Amino acid sequence: MVKITALQKRYGQGAVILDDINLEFEKGEFVSLIGPSGCGKSTLLKLIASLSPVTSGSLVVDGMTPENAREEMAFIFQEPTLLPWRTVTRNIELPLEVLHTKWDKREEICARTRKLVGLDHVPDHYPRQLSGGMKMRVSIARALSLSPKILLLDEPFGALDEMTRDRLNEQLLAIREQQKFTAFFVTHSVAEAVFLSSRIIVLAANPGRVYQDIRVPFAYPRSAETRESPEYQRCVAEVTKVLRAVNPDHP
Amino acid sequence: MNFLKHNLRWYLPVLTGALILFLWILVKELFGIRNFILPSPLKIAQAAIAERHVLFQSAMITLSGASLGFVTAAIAGILGSMVMALSGNLRLSLYPYILILQMTPMAIFAPVLVIWLGPGLPAVTVITFLICFFPIVANTTQGLISVDKNMVDLFRMINADRGQEVRLLRLPHALPYFLTGLRIAGSIAMIGGITGDLFAGNASGGVGGLGFMVLVYNAQLKIPALWAAGFTACLCGFLFVSVVIALNWFLLHKWHDSIAKSDV
């Protein structure tokens, strides 16, 4: 699905952000990118999204350049990035409006994705009337409205409290059971990464490079109970250890 | 008690007004100040009633100059800001000259405008325009270019073209900024109108704009009428600002925090 070969990234003549990245991802994988700040995990996500150009090496998305594959991808930002002058429904249908999708089709997709994220009861609310968690759900619904093959998430739940974050993680996996997208998820939280992912890429900083490629051993579907299982907790401990090794300044 | 609490925003300003009137009369009577220096509020009210036809007509003249200038400044402000938002280099090249327009006192522009356009409505309109244009164009430009980077990236991700980005993202985002500019312009539009009257007004049919009437009443030593003209201008200014505030509320109350949080 995504193949990265000898990739290097630097901004202008500045320091090398990512160096010699070689990775290959299959369709349907849920990949978390984790590592100390400055390791370039968000940059890697932006490169896949073609929001930033590759300096050298190659990056192929579904057999295409990232730019040409953009229609197959959706990006969920750290902030909900909702348009405050639009209602929940109008925010969700924004990508469809840009594509000139027919009105009745728009309506139908909107209703479906709204239900999917559990926002059926607030179709005409404005963003300022919603909690942080609800805003994020609108953002997810908007991304899903185009039924993307690849979902790119840049620390989407970082600003939320732990309860809301856990709940949204569970919801995200439940949605994935239905929509079957491939996901790339940037996070700081080991627990979140282990809970969500089938694979965790640990990056090292200065310059950003792949430190370890970890397969998460237990299967989907996962639920809140998964967090109590010994194998989950063992995996969290293991990844935490790796992350400490890569980031010795901050034990 | 509840009634008093809930209507604070109405009766507090009225109370202040009553207090000012009381102090006004007190000072005037206590020190025996003569009418041509400080007329009593009653005298001014009488003059306003006596001169009501003239004041109404001249208010209309000033208001038409002020609103024409204000509306054209709003339209030109939107168009101008869209041009300015196109590129940073364009802003760098244009901004100093827009500032110069704003910095040059109207007293200097006005005689030139009268030479070019002759006294009357066109000259008054242009003077108001020149005063109102800057706050609108400066604020709206700020709104157009201060869109969050992630929002722009979002529009790139959904393959929006440049026109869609402007129409669906930049213009709505700039709306509160535009309205702020409009509010500032609204509060000074009457100043533009009156300045225009003073320098470029004409009195076809015996009545000119309010600024013109101020000159006439002064020459005739009708001091209470002069004050009445001042208060009429004040009233017109209020009218302007309330229209803008109403527009502001109408366009923003559903989604913008400023309406929910501020008390004016």
mmCIF file of all heavy atoms in Angstrom, chain A residues 76-115:
data_model
loop_
_atom_site.group_PDB
_atom_site.id
_atom_site.type_symbol
_atom_site.label_atom_id
_atom_site.label_comp_id
_atom_site.label_asym_id
_atom_site.label_seq_id
_atom_site.Cartn_x
_atom_site.Cartn_y
_atom_site.Cartn_z
ATOM 1 N N ILE A 76 -6.381 13.637 9.406
ATOM 2 C CA ILE A 76 -7.019 14.172 10.611
ATOM 3 C C ILE A 76 -5.936 14.873 11.433
ATOM 4 O O ILE A 76 -4.922 14.280 11.784
ATOM 5 C CB ILE A 76 -7.709 13.062 11.418
ATOM 6 C CG1 ILE A 76 -8.850 12.472 10.580
ATOM 7 C CG2 ILE A 76 -8.245 13.600 12.736
ATOM 8 C CD1 ILE A 76 -9.541 11.295 11.218
ATOM 9 N N PHE A 77 -6.160 16.156 11.683
ATOM 10 C CA PHE A 77 -5.126 16.996 12.298
ATOM 11 C C PHE A 77 -5.196 16.930 13.817
ATOM 12 O O PHE A 77 -6.161 16.444 14.407
ATOM 13 C CB PHE A 77 -5.291 18.446 11.849
ATOM 14 C CG PHE A 77 -5.081 18.635 10.374
ATOM 15 C CD1 PHE A 77 -6.138 18.451 9.483
ATOM 16 C CD2 PHE A 77 -3.849 18.987 9.872
ATOM 17 C CE1 PHE A 77 -5.943 18.623 8.120
ATOM 18 C CE2 PHE A 77 -3.641 19.159 8.520
ATOM 19 C CZ PHE A 77 -4.692 18.976 7.642
ATOM 20 N N GLN A 78 -4.150 17.480 14.423
ATOM 21 C CA GLN A 78 -4.060 17.575 15.868
ATOM 22 C C GLN A 78 -5.257 18.339 16.446
ATOM 23 O O GLN A 78 -5.819 17.979 17.450
ATOM 24 C CB GLN A 78 -2.777 18.331 16.209
ATOM 25 C CG GLN A 78 -2.014 17.741 17.322
ATOM 26 C CD GLN A 78 -0.564 18.212 17.297
ATOM 27 O OE1 GLN A 78 -0.036 18.665 16.279
ATOM 28 N NE2 GLN A 78 0.083 18.119 18.415
ATOM 29 N N GLU A 79 -5.601 19.434 15.773
ATOM 30 C CA GLU A 79 -6.789 20.204 16.143
ATOM 31 C C GLU A 79 -7.942 19.688 15.291
ATOM 32 O O GLU A 79 -7.709 19.176 14.194
ATOM 33 C CB GLU A 79 -6.572 21.686 15.837
ATOM 34 C CG GLU A 79 -5.306 22.269 16.439
ATOM 35 C CD GLU A 79 -5.392 22.333 17.945
ATOM 36 O OE1 GLU A 79 -6.497 22.603 18.447
ATOM 37 O OE2 GLU A 79 -4.372 22.072 18.606
ATOM 38 N N PRO A 80 -9.174 19.875 15.749
ATOM 39 C CA PRO A 80 -10.293 19.380 14.934
ATOM 40 C C PRO A 80 -10.421 20.097 13.577
ATOM 41 O O PRO A 80 -11.018 19.549 12.661
ATOM 42 C CB PRO A 80 -11.525 19.666 15.796
ATOM 43 C CG PRO A 80 -11.011 19.863 17.180
ATOM 44 C CD PRO A 80 -9.624 20.398 17.040
ATOM 45 N N THR A 81 -9.833 21.298 13.448
ATOM 46 C CA THR A 81 -9.881 22.102 12.211
ATOM 47 C C THR A 81 -11.273 22.139 11.573
ATOM 48 O O THR A 81 -11.422 21.932 10.377
ATOM 49 C CB THR A 81 -8.883 21.606 11.134
ATOM 50 O OG1 THR A 81 -9.161 20.243 10.824
ATOM 51 C CG2 THR A 81 -7.465 21.744 11.581
ATOM 52 N N LEU A 82 -12.289 22.409 12.400
ATOM 53 C CA LEU A 82 -13.636 22.565 11.860
ATOM 54 C C LEU A 82 -13.836 24.008 11.431
ATOM 55 O O LEU A 82 -13.190 24.921 11.952
ATOM 56 C CB LEU A 82 -14.673 22.205 12.920
ATOM 57 C CG LEU A 82 -14.529 20.805 13.521
ATOM 58 C CD1 LEU A 82 -15.607 20.582 14.580
ATOM 59 C CD2 LEU A 82 -14.618 19.739 12.434
ATOM 60 N N LEU A 83 -14.716 24.222 10.456
ATOM 61 C CA LEU A 83 -15.066 25.580 10.084
ATOM 62 C C LEU A 83 -16.146 26.057 11.062
ATOM 63 O O LEU A 83 -17.238 25.503 11.080
ATOM 64 C CB LEU A 83 -15.585 25.625 8.641
ATOM 65 C CG LEU A 83 -14.635 25.036 7.592
ATOM 66 C CD1 LEU A 83 -15.243 25.149 6.201
ATOM 67 C CD2 LEU A 83 -13.289 25.738 7.628
ATOM 68 N N PRO A 84 -15.822 27.063 11.891
ATOM 69 C CA PRO A 84 -16.747 27.421 12.973
ATOM 70 C C PRO A 84 -18.086 27.978 12.483
ATOM 71 O O PRO A 84 -19.053 28.003 13.233
ATOM 72 C CB PRO A 84 -15.974 28.469 13.769
ATOM 73 C CG PRO A 84 -14.890 28.948 12.873
ATOM 74 C CD PRO A 84 -14.575 27.826 11.940
ATOM 75 N N TRP A 85 -18.124 28.429 11.207
ATOM 76 C CA TRP A 85 -19.372 29.008 10.698
ATOM 77 C C TRP A 85 -20.280 27.953 10.080
ATOM 78 O O TRP A 85 -21.331 28.269 9.561
ATOM 79 C CB TRP A 85 -19.075 30.107 9.679
ATOM 80 C CG TRP A 85 -18.135 29.673 8.599
ATOM 81 C CD1 TRP A 85 -18.454 29.061 7.435
ATOM 82 C CD2 TRP A 85 -16.713 29.814 8.607
ATOM 83 N NE1 TRP A 85 -17.316 28.787 6.726
ATOM 84 C CE2 TRP A 85 -16.233 29.250 7.411
ATOM 85 C CE3 TRP A 85 -15.791 30.361 9.523
ATOM 86 C CZ2 TRP A 85 -14.877 29.217 7.087
ATOM 87 C CZ3 TRP A 85 -14.449 30.312 9.203
ATOM 88 C CH2 TRP A 85 -14.002 29.756 7.999
ATOM 89 N N ARG A 86 -19.846 26.690 10.129
ATOM 90 C CA ARG A 86 -20.670 25.628 9.573
ATOM 91 C C ARG A 86 -21.157 24.692 10.671
ATOM 92 O O ARG A 86 -20.421 24.415 11.614
ATOM 93 C CB ARG A 86 -19.857 24.813 8.566
ATOM 94 C CG ARG A 86 -19.643 25.526 7.262
ATOM 95 C CD ARG A 86 -18.833 24.650 6.338
ATOM 96 N NE ARG A 86 -18.927 25.166 4.982
ATOM 97 C CZ ARG A 86 -19.294 24.439 3.926
ATOM 98 N NH1 ARG A 86 -19.569 23.168 4.074
ATOM 99 N NH2 ARG A 86 -19.377 24.979 2.742
ATOM 100 N N THR A 87 -22.356 24.177 10.500
ATOM 101 C CA THR A 87 -22.892 23.226 11.470
ATOM 102 C C THR A 87 -22.156 21.895 11.329
ATOM 103 O O THR A 87 -21.358 21.712 10.408
ATOM 104 C CB THR A 87 -24.378 22.967 11.202
ATOM 105 O OG1 THR A 87 -24.513 22.420 9.887
ATOM 106 C CG2 THR A 87 -25.192 24.242 11.308
ATOM 107 N N VAL A 88 -22.434 20.988 12.257
ATOM 108 C CA VAL A 88 -21.825 19.656 12.223
ATOM 109 C C VAL A 88 -22.013 19.026 10.841
ATOM 110 O O VAL A 88 -21.055 18.598 10.196
ATOM 111 C CB VAL A 88 -22.458 18.760 13.318
ATOM 112 C CG1 VAL A 88 -22.091 17.300 13.112
ATOM 113 C CG2 VAL A 88 -22.019 19.234 14.703
ATOM 114 N N THR A 89 -23.257 19.017 10.374
ATOM 115 C CA THR A 89 -23.542 18.402 9.077
ATOM 116 C C THR A 89 -22.778 19.076 7.950
ATOM 117 O O THR A 89 -22.158 18.412 7.115
ATOM 118 C CB THR A 89 -25.053 18.484 8.786
ATOM 119 O OG1 THR A 89 -25.745 17.830 9.842
ATOM 120 C CG2 THR A 89 -25.397 17.821 7.469
ATOM 121 N N ARG A 90 -22.792 20.401 7.942
ATOM 122 C CA ARG A 90 -22.131 21.131 6.865
ATOM 123 C C ARG A 90 -20.610 20.954 6.912
ATOM 124 O O ARG A 90 -19.947 21.013 5.889
ATOM 125 C CB ARG A 90 -22.494 22.619 6.908
ATOM 126 C CG ARG A 90 -23.986 22.875 6.800
ATOM 127 C CD ARG A 90 -24.441 23.143 5.378
ATOM 128 N NE ARG A 90 -23.890 24.360 4.858
ATOM 129 C CZ ARG A 90 -23.352 24.474 3.640
ATOM 130 N NH1 ARG A 90 -23.278 23.418 2.863
ATOM 131 N NH2 ARG A 90 -22.896 25.631 3.223
ATOM 132 N N ASN A 91 -20.065 20.746 8.110
ATOM 133 C CA ASN A 91 -18.637 20.463 8.214
ATOM 134 C C ASN A 91 -18.303 19.093 7.646
ATOM 135 O O ASN A 91 -17.321 18.934 6.933
ATOM 136 C CB ASN A 91 -18.182 20.537 9.676
ATOM 137 C CG ASN A 91 -17.563 21.872 10.021
ATOM 138 O OD1 ASN A 91 -16.509 22.225 9.502
ATOM 139 N ND2 ASN A 91 -18.228 22.635 10.859
ATOM 140 N N ILE A 92 -19.159 18.121 7.974
ATOM 141 C CA ILE A 92 -18.889 16.758 7.509
ATOM 142 C C ILE A 92 -18.956 16.689 5.982
ATOM 143 O O ILE A 92 -18.188 15.985 5.349
ATOM 144 C CB ILE A 92 -19.879 15.755 8.155
ATOM 145 C CG1 ILE A 92 -19.665 15.717 9.675
ATOM 146 C CG2 ILE A 92 -19.716 14.356 7.564
ATOM 147 C CD1 ILE A 92 -20.671 14.880 10.426
ATOM 148 N N GLU A 93 -19.862 17.469 5.395
ATOM 149 C CA GLU A 93 -20.046 17.347 3.949
ATOM 150 C C GLU A 93 -19.098 18.238 3.140
ATOM 151 O O GLU A 93 -19.144 18.222 1.907
ATOM 152 C CB GLU A 93 -21.496 17.634 3.569
ATOM 153 C CG GLU A 93 -21.903 19.081 3.744
ATOM 154 C CD GLU A 93 -23.330 19.346 3.260
ATOM 155 O OE1 GLU A 93 -24.037 18.385 2.938
ATOM 156 O OE2 GLU A 93 -23.707 20.517 3.206
ATOM 157 N N LEU A 94 -18.215 18.971 3.838
ATOM 158 C CA LEU A 94 -17.301 19.868 3.118
ATOM 159 C C LEU A 94 -16.524 19.198 1.980
ATOM 160 O O LEU A 94 -16.523 19.702 0.854
ATOM 161 C CB LEU A 94 -16.345 20.545 4.105
ATOM 162 C CG LEU A 94 -15.286 21.451 3.475
ATOM 163 C CD1 LEU A 94 -15.919 22.760 3.028
ATOM 164 C CD2 LEU A 94 -14.142 21.724 4.430
ATOM 165 N N PRO A 95 -15.878 18.034 2.238
ATOM 166 C CA PRO A 95 -15.122 17.408 1.139
ATOM 167 C C PRO A 95 -16.022 17.020 -0.030
ATOM 168 O O PRO A 95 -15.611 17.096 -1.187
ATOM 169 C CB PRO A 95 -14.523 16.157 1.783
ATOM 170 C CG PRO A 95 -14.571 16.388 3.245
ATOM 171 C CD PRO A 95 -15.748 17.258 3.491
ATOM 172 N N LEU A 96 -17.254 16.625 0.274
ATOM 173 C CA LEU A 96 -18.188 16.239 -0.784
ATOM 174 C C LEU A 96 -18.612 17.459 -1.597
ATOM 175 O O LEU A 96 -18.765 17.395 -2.811
ATOM 176 C CB LEU A 96 -19.426 15.574 -0.172
ATOM 177 C CG LEU A 96 -19.130 14.339 0.678
ATOM 178 C CD1 LEU A 96 -20.326 13.966 1.530
ATOM 179 C CD2 LEU A 96 -18.740 13.173 -0.212
ATOM 180 N N GLU A 97 -18.786 18.583 -0.883
ATOM 181 C CA GLU A 97 -19.163 19.818 -1.560
ATOM 182 C C GLU A 97 -18.051 20.245 -2.517
ATOM 183 O O GLU A 97 -18.312 20.673 -3.643
ATOM 184 C CB GLU A 97 -19.430 20.897 -0.519
ATOM 185 C CG GLU A 97 -20.029 22.161 -1.095
ATOM 186 C CD GLU A 97 -20.276 23.209 -0.031
ATOM 187 O OE1 GLU A 97 -20.501 22.852 1.140
ATOM 188 O OE2 GLU A 97 -20.238 24.401 -0.378
ATOM 189 N N VAL A 98 -16.812 20.141 -2.050
ATOM 190 C CA VAL A 98 -15.679 20.514 -2.893
ATOM 191 C C VAL A 98 -15.620 19.647 -4.149
ATOM 192 O O VAL A 98 -15.250 20.105 -5.229
ATOM 193 C CB VAL A 98 -14.370 20.416 -2.075
ATOM 194 C CG1 VAL A 98 -13.156 20.431 -2.973
ATOM 195 C CG2 VAL A 98 -14.294 21.558 -1.070
ATOM 196 N N LEU A 99 -16.034 18.386 -4.015
ATOM 197 C CA LEU A 99 -16.025 17.471 -5.162
ATOM 198 C C LEU A 99 -17.279 17.587 -6.019
ATOM 199 O O LEU A 99 -17.450 16.846 -6.979
ATOM 200 C CB LEU A 99 -15.940 16.023 -4.657
ATOM 201 C CG LEU A 99 -14.579 15.523 -4.219
ATOM 202 C CD1 LEU A 99 -14.709 14.107 -3.682
ATOM 203 C CD2 LEU A 99 -13.597 15.556 -5.385
ATOM 204 N N HIS A 100 -18.183 18.502 -5.655
ATOM 205 C CA HIS A 100 -19.452 18.684 -6.367
ATOM 206 C C HIS A 100 -20.296 17.413 -6.368
ATOM 207 O O HIS A 100 -20.915 17.055 -7.374
ATOM 208 C CB HIS A 100 -19.221 19.136 -7.815
ATOM 209 C CG HIS A 100 -18.392 20.383 -7.895
ATOM 210 N ND1 HIS A 100 -18.849 21.600 -7.454
ATOM 211 C CD2 HIS A 100 -17.132 20.600 -8.321
ATOM 212 C CE1 HIS A 100 -17.912 22.507 -7.629
ATOM 213 N NE2 HIS A 100 -16.850 21.931 -8.143
ATOM 214 N N THR A 101 -20.301 16.697 -5.248
ATOM 215 C CA THR A 101 -21.176 15.528 -5.124
ATOM 216 C C THR A 101 -22.625 16.000 -5.125
ATOM 217 O O THR A 101 -22.943 17.055 -4.579
ATOM 218 C CB THR A 101 -20.881 14.797 -3.798
ATOM 219 O OG1 THR A 101 -19.478 14.575 -3.706
ATOM 220 C CG2 THR A 101 -21.621 13.470 -3.728
ATOM 221 N N LYS A 102 -23.495 15.196 -5.739
ATOM 222 C CA LYS A 102 -24.922 15.546 -5.794
ATOM 223 C C LYS A 102 -25.507 15.689 -4.392
ATOM 224 O O LYS A 102 -25.123 14.979 -3.473
ATOM 225 C CB LYS A 102 -25.707 14.470 -6.554
ATOM 226 C CG LYS A 102 -25.460 14.497 -8.030
ATOM 227 C CD LYS A 102 -26.783 14.722 -8.767
ATOM 228 C CE LYS A 102 -26.562 15.086 -10.206
ATOM 229 N NZ LYS A 102 -25.713 14.071 -10.902
ATOM 230 N N TRP A 103 -26.486 16.576 -4.289
ATOM 231 C CA TRP A 103 -27.019 16.954 -2.994
ATOM 232 C C TRP A 103 -27.608 15.778 -2.209
ATOM 233 O O TRP A 103 -27.335 15.601 -1.030
ATOM 234 C CB TRP A 103 -28.072 18.050 -3.182
ATOM 235 C CG TRP A 103 -28.512 18.645 -1.895
ATOM 236 C CD1 TRP A 103 -27.865 19.585 -1.147
ATOM 237 C CD2 TRP A 103 -29.702 18.325 -1.175
ATOM 238 N NE1 TRP A 103 -28.581 19.869 -0.015
ATOM 239 C CE2 TRP A 103 -29.714 19.112 -0.003
ATOM 240 C CE3 TRP A 103 -30.765 17.439 -1.402
ATOM 241 C CZ2 TRP A 103 -30.730 19.053 0.916
ATOM 242 C CZ3 TRP A 103 -31.795 17.387 -0.461
ATOM 243 C CH2 TRP A 103 -31.766 18.182 0.681
ATOM 244 N N ASP A 104 -28.387 14.942 -2.876
ATOM 245 C CA ASP A 104 -29.040 13.836 -2.153
ATOM 246 C C ASP A 104 -28.020 12.785 -1.703
ATOM 247 O O ASP A 104 -28.132 12.211 -0.621
ATOM 248 C CB ASP A 104 -30.155 13.194 -2.999
ATOM 249 C CG ASP A 104 -29.698 12.879 -4.411
ATOM 250 O OD1 ASP A 104 -28.658 13.441 -4.826
ATOM 251 O OD2 ASP A 104 -30.356 12.095 -5.107
ATOM 252 N N LYS A 105 -26.995 12.594 -2.531
ATOM 253 C CA LYS A 105 -25.920 11.668 -2.179
ATOM 254 C C LYS A 105 -25.168 12.191 -0.949
ATOM 255 O O LYS A 105 -24.864 11.448 -0.021
ATOM 256 C CB LYS A 105 -24.974 11.561 -3.381
ATOM 257 C CG LYS A 105 -23.849 10.566 -3.249
ATOM 258 C CD LYS A 105 -24.158 9.252 -3.957
ATOM 259 C CE LYS A 105 -23.153 8.172 -3.636
ATOM 260 N NZ LYS A 105 -21.891 8.324 -4.371
ATOM 261 N N ARG A 106 -24.909 13.501 -0.983
ATOM 262 C CA ARG A 106 -24.238 14.158 0.137
ATOM 263 C C ARG A 106 -24.992 13.912 1.429
ATOM 264 O O ARG A 106 -24.440 13.499 2.435
ATOM 265 C CB ARG A 106 -24.251 15.667 -0.120
ATOM 266 C CG ARG A 106 -22.905 16.276 -0.319
ATOM 267 C CD ARG A 106 -23.025 17.759 -0.232
ATOM 268 N NE ARG A 106 -22.912 18.411 -1.526
ATOM 269 C CZ ARG A 106 -23.097 19.715 -1.720
ATOM 270 N NH1 ARG A 106 -23.440 20.494 -0.716
ATOM 271 N NH2 ARG A 106 -22.961 20.235 -2.902
ATOM 272 N N GLU A 107 -26.271 14.180 1.359
ATOM 273 C CA GLU A 107 -27.169 14.020 2.502
ATOM 274 C C GLU A 107 -27.052 12.610 3.084
ATOM 275 O O GLU A 107 -26.907 12.424 4.287
ATOM 276 C CB GLU A 107 -28.596 14.279 2.003
ATOM 277 C CG GLU A 107 -29.597 14.458 3.086
ATOM 278 C CD GLU A 107 -29.658 15.902 3.552
ATOM 279 O OE1 GLU A 107 -28.616 16.621 3.540
ATOM 280 O OE2 GLU A 107 -30.734 16.318 3.928
ATOM 281 N N GLU A 108 -27.065 11.637 2.180
ATOM 282 C CA GLU A 108 -27.067 10.239 2.595
ATOM 283 C C GLU A 108 -25.741 9.869 3.269
ATOM 284 O O GLU A 108 -25.717 9.289 4.355
ATOM 285 C CB GLU A 108 -27.314 9.383 1.345
ATOM 286 C CG GLU A 108 -27.272 7.888 1.578
ATOM 287 C CD GLU A 108 -26.781 7.159 0.334
ATOM 288 O OE1 GLU A 108 -27.280 7.477 -0.778
ATOM 289 O OE2 GLU A 108 -25.887 6.304 0.471
ATOM 290 N N ILE A 109 -24.634 10.251 2.622
ATOM 291 C CA ILE A 109 -23.311 9.942 3.188
ATOM 292 C C ILE A 109 -23.141 10.608 4.539
ATOM 293 O O ILE A 109 -22.648 10.022 5.502
ATOM 294 C CB ILE A 109 -22.188 10.401 2.233
ATOM 295 C CG1 ILE A 109 -22.260 9.595 0.930
ATOM 296 C CG2 ILE A 109 -20.832 10.233 2.886
ATOM 297 C CD1 ILE A 109 -21.296 10.079 -0.129
ATOM 298 N N CYS A 110 -23.594 11.852 4.610
ATOM 299 C CA CYS A 110 -23.492 12.641 5.830
ATOM 300 C C CYS A 110 -24.222 11.960 6.977
ATOM 301 O O CYS A 110 -23.684 11.815 8.073
ATOM 302 C CB CYS A 110 -24.132 13.989 5.597
ATOM 303 S SG CYS A 110 -23.014 15.278 5.892
ATOM 304 N N ALA A 111 -25.444 11.556 6.718
ATOM 305 C CA ALA A 111 -26.244 10.910 7.758
ATOM 306 C C ALA A 111 -25.554 9.633 8.233
ATOM 307 O O ALA A 111 -25.494 9.348 9.435
ATOM 308 C CB ALA A 111 -27.636 10.600 7.215
ATOM 309 N N ARG A 112 -24.992 8.885 7.282
ATOM 310 C CA ARG A 112 -24.350 7.628 7.631
ATOM 311 C C ARG A 112 -23.098 7.856 8.489
ATOM 312 O O ARG A 112 -22.940 7.244 9.545
ATOM 313 C CB ARG A 112 -23.985 6.875 6.341
ATOM 314 C CG ARG A 112 -23.392 5.495 6.559
ATOM 315 C CD ARG A 112 -23.573 4.598 5.337
ATOM 316 N NE ARG A 112 -23.253 5.274 4.084
ATOM 317 C CZ ARG A 112 -22.009 5.474 3.638
ATOM 318 N NH1 ARG A 112 -20.991 5.064 4.347
ATOM 319 N NH2 ARG A 112 -21.806 6.096 2.489
ATOM 320 N N THR A 113 -22.214 8.764 8.050
ATOM 321 C CA THR A 113 -20.984 8.981 8.818
ATOM 322 C C THR A 113 -21.277 9.637 10.166
ATOM 323 O O THR A 113 -20.581 9.379 11.140
ATOM 324 C CB THR A 113 -19.977 9.859 8.048
ATOM 325 O OG1 THR A 113 -20.670 10.910 7.425
ATOM 326 C CG2 THR A 113 -19.237 9.060 7.022
ATOM 327 N N ARG A 114 -22.321 10.459 10.188
ATOM 328 C CA ARG A 114 -22.687 11.088 11.462
ATOM 329 C C ARG A 114 -23.084 10.020 12.470
ATOM 330 O O ARG A 114 -22.727 10.082 13.638
ATOM 331 C CB ARG A 114 -23.833 12.064 11.225
ATOM 332 C CG ARG A 114 -23.739 13.324 12.041
ATOM 333 C CD ARG A 114 -24.750 14.339 11.596
ATOM 334 N NE ARG A 114 -26.051 13.735 11.428
ATOM 335 C CZ ARG A 114 -26.932 14.104 10.494
ATOM 336 N NH1 ARG A 114 -26.642 15.069 9.670
ATOM 337 N NH2 ARG A 114 -28.089 13.506 10.388
ATOM 338 N N LYS A 115 -23.818 9.053 11.997
ATOM 339 C CA LYS A 115 -24.238 7.962 12.863
ATOM 340 C C LYS A 115 -23.019 7.139 13.310
ATOM 341 O O LYS A 115 -22.887 6.760 14.460
ATOM 342 C CB LYS A 115 -25.245 7.082 12.111
ATOM 343 C CG LYS A 115 -25.973 6.094 13.021
ATOM 344 C CD LYS A 115 -27.087 5.378 12.280
ATOM 345 C CE LYS A 115 -28.416 6.109 12.384
ATOM 346 N NZ LYS A 115 -29.434 5.520 11.501
#
